Amino acid sequence: MDKIEIVGGVSLCGEISISGAKNAALPVMAASILGPGENIISNIPRLRDISTMGKLLAHLGMGYHQENGEAILQSEHISSIEAPYDFVKTMRASVLVLGPLLARMGEAKVSLPGGCAIGARPINLHIMGLKKMGAEITLCDGYIHAKAGKLKGATIYFDIPTVTGTENLMMAASIAEGVTVLENAACEPEIIDLANALISMGAEIQGAGTGIVKIKGVNNLRPLNYRIIPDRIETGTFLTAAAITGGNVEITNCDPSLAEAFINKLGETGTVITHGPDKISVKGPEQLKAEDIKTMPYPGFPTDMQAQFMALMTVAEGTSLITENIFENRFMHVAELRRMGADIRVEGSTATVKGVKSLKGAPVMATDLRASASLVIAGLAASGTTTIDRVYHIDRGYQNIEEKLKPLGAKIRRVT
Ligand code: EPU
């Protein structure tokens, strides 16, 4: 199993380019089910989750290959309506094929995702929405089996704004009969990106990116030719790596407007940040200052940046309160950061981080995608060597993280 080894203590310096957003690319790939023909999606990151989605679509009978940053998906023929457990257990986002398969084929069978490292993560709201649209849904042998003649538009209220739930229903409603209104919808930029992709296929969608999304069903959609937005979480991760090492880095091919909550918070730690429309310059301070955060749905502070921000706060002056409001078990990185000398105490959904003078390298274990990113950040700042085990978690969501960090001076290598 691969490990990543980092010898910390180098200030990062130079330029780094951001890849396409994983969490935008995955639903847009699933949307290609809705546009029979050749779908071309560009700015696709080279990640394990993307190839898992490609393989799942191929399992459904679609053609899939990825070259030069493009995913090419042939969706004239769909020969299976089943997303088996092997895919769903590897990647929960496999559930994104449920809405489009049901809408196009009138039937879908998708393995029910189990709990995951960061929380129980039920999908009851996806199911509730599809039922409101007329689907008959049974749960049998660990599978969700959904059937519908033609889905019908409905008004659907989400008790909690759900990102993939909003995406699944937006896709299903695009070719349903009549108008669907999603209330208390999630507002993440990845939802706007999916809506823009669907609109480019001929869908009629208003309000994506607000709490109320209206979708007027159309008979058919055309295939996609669409470019994915830059990854705001990869952007935030590299901003944090630059800040913790007191570095001076220019981040290119990004969209600063998608990361405002994070950029503002980072600015309050003493990090100097300036940005243009598609690049950000960041200069880490001599001494970081502690700041509190609370994770919230977009446009609040993203849960996907909580672990990385906590790594930053381990060496800040003062005490930082970090409250996780989205997932009930997203503090798995705490025990690993403590092994590097961090002073963190967790009570309920809040972690109290008392800044220490410095971290010390140690062997640590990646437990989920963003937790592993926080260990890379801590390792870059720590004295001595940090070895991160189970790096397959990082490869799910960061394209060649070590190859991107090396040109900035980081002493980082993959050990196979
Ligand atoms: N929830 C329910 N019922 C549902 C759906 C969600 O109770 O039917 C709850 C969840 O348990 C959670 C909250 O609602 O407490 C929000 O979950 P959401 O459904 O929004 O999460 P998701 O769609 O499963 C996406 C991202 C995650 C990201 C979250 C929150 C993708 C493929 N995944 O997950 O990304 O953390 O939104 O922003 O878009 C990651 O990239 O590392 C990652 C975990």
Side-chain angles (χ1 to χ4, degrees):
M1 217 183 282
D2 288 5
K3 294 181 185 186
I4 282 182
E5 193 181 89
I6 304 170
V7 180
V10 178
S11 287
L12 301 184
C13 207
E15 196 177 299
I16 192 165
S17 170
I18 296 303
S19 303
K22 165 180 88 77
N23 288 348
L26 292 171
V28 173
M29 287 173 79
S32 66
I33 293 173
L34 295 168
E38 182 173 81
N39 291 267
I40 301 173
I41 310 170
S42 55
N43 204 27
I44 285 277
R46 253 180 303 112
L47 302 172
R48 221 164 61 103
D49 275 9
I50 296 294
S51 36
T52 304
M53 180 58 90
K55 285 180 196 155
L56 170 57
L57 295 173
H59 171 88
L60 301 178
M62 287 169 50
Y64 162 69
H65 73 281
Q66 204 184 328
E67 59 181 29
N68 304 324
E70 282 185 348
I72 296 144
L73 291 146
Q74 312 283 352
S75 59
E76 289 87 350
H77 307 291
I78 305 277
S79 52
S80 165
I81 48 114
E82 183 173 322
Y85 181 55
D86 276 352
F87 287 102
V88 182
K89 76 170 189 222
T90 313
M91 182 185 72
R92 300 176 61 83
S94 304
V95 78
L96 283 165
V97 301
L98 176 61
L101 265 184
L102 178 62
R104 174 164 166 188
M105 308 296 290
E107 189 174 358
K109 221 179 144 188
V110 175
S111 172
L112 191 64
C116 99
I118 62 177
R121 303 182 74 183
I123 57 160
N124 57 309
L125 299 171
H126 303 226
I127 295 173
M128 173 278 294
L130 292 172
K131 276 187 177 162
K132 281 225 152 166
M133 295 180 76
E136 257 178 49
I137 300 191
T138 49
L139 296 181
C140 188
D141 301 331
Y143 277 77
I144 307 156
H145 193 171
K147 282 188 186 173
K150 174 103 177 148
L151 289 170
K152 301 213 166 35
T155 295
I156 297 162
Y157 174 81
F158 295 109
D159 293 336
I160 306 174
T162 157
V163 174
T164 48
T166 303
E167 291 167 348
N168 237 335
L169 288 160
M170 216 161 67
M171 288 189 276
S174 291
I175 56 166
E177 207 177 285
V179 176
T180 299
V181 182
L182 306 179
E183 295 181 346
N184 199 24
C187 304
E188 270 66 5
E190 291 74 19
I191 286 166
I192 303 178
D193 209 36
L194 172 63
N196 287 339
L198 289 166
I199 290 166
S200 78
M201 298 169 86
E204 295 189 17
I205 303 177
Q206 287 174 347
T210 74
I212 299 198
V213 184
K214 272 192 195 155
I215 306 119
K216 186 162 172 255
V218 297
N219 284 333
N220 302 298
L221 295 179
R222 333 177 251 283
L224 273 162
N225 191 336
Y226 192 74
R227 186 176 171 81
I228 297 295
I229 51 168
D231 197 310
R232 65 194 168 99
I233 305 301
E234 190 196 24
T235 303
T237 301
F238 289 135
L239 282 171
T240 312
I244 200 170
T245 60
N248 200 342
V249 172
E250 181 152 281
I251 297 183
T252 58
N253 293 321
C254 62
D255 184 343
S257 72
L258 306 182
E260 273 177 14
F262 181 74
I263 290 175
N264 284 339
K265 195 47 91 171
L266 193 60
E268 286 167 28
T269 68
T271 306
V272 180
I273 304 169
T274 51
H275 62 79
D278 61 358
K279 59 173 97 162
I280 310 177
S281 299
V282 54
K283 195 169 179 315
E286 285 276 309
Q287 175 61 60
L288 287 155
K289 288 194 292 247
E291 274 295 320
D292 299 341
I293 56 160
K294 287 185 179 163
T295 64
M296 306 280 263
Y298 192 84
F301 191 98
T303 173
D304 289 345
M305 279 305 302
Q306 179 259 105
Q308 300 90 315
F309 194 80
M310 186 185 291
L312 187 73
M313 289 297 96
T314 61
V315 289
E317 187 178 12
T319 298
S320 158
L321 295 181
I322 296 187
T323 306
E324 172 58 53
N325 289 316
I326 310 293
F327 293 112
E328 68 275 18
N329 194 28
R330 213 174 195 176
F331 281 143
M332 302 274 281
H333 40 285
V334 167
E336 304 303 309
L337 291 171
R338 273 196 200 129
R339 304 192 71 249
M340 301 177 70
D343 181 348
I344 309 170
R345 196 163 47 85
V346 176
E347 220 176 293
S349 58
T350 299
T352 306
V353 187
K354 282 192 187 150
V356 294
K357 277 230 144 49
S358 62
L359 296 175
K360 210 165 171 332
V364 287
M365 186 96 84
T367 49
D368 70 71
L369 169 55
R370 307 304 170 187
S372 17
S374 81
L375 299 177
V376 171
I377 289 165
L380 289 168
S383 62
T385 305
T386 298
T387 312
I388 307 172
D389 206 345
R390 300 202 182 159
V391 297
Y392 54 85
H393 286 295
I394 302 190
D395 297 334
R396 293 187 56 182
Y398 291 91
Q399 179 173 317
N400 279 344
I401 194 161
E402 72 278 15
E403 294 309 321
K404 284 199 180 188
L405 287 168
K406 264 183 208 162
L408 303 181
K411 290 187 187 155
I412 180 168
R413 68 182 186 117
R414 186 175 288 250
V415 186
T416 311

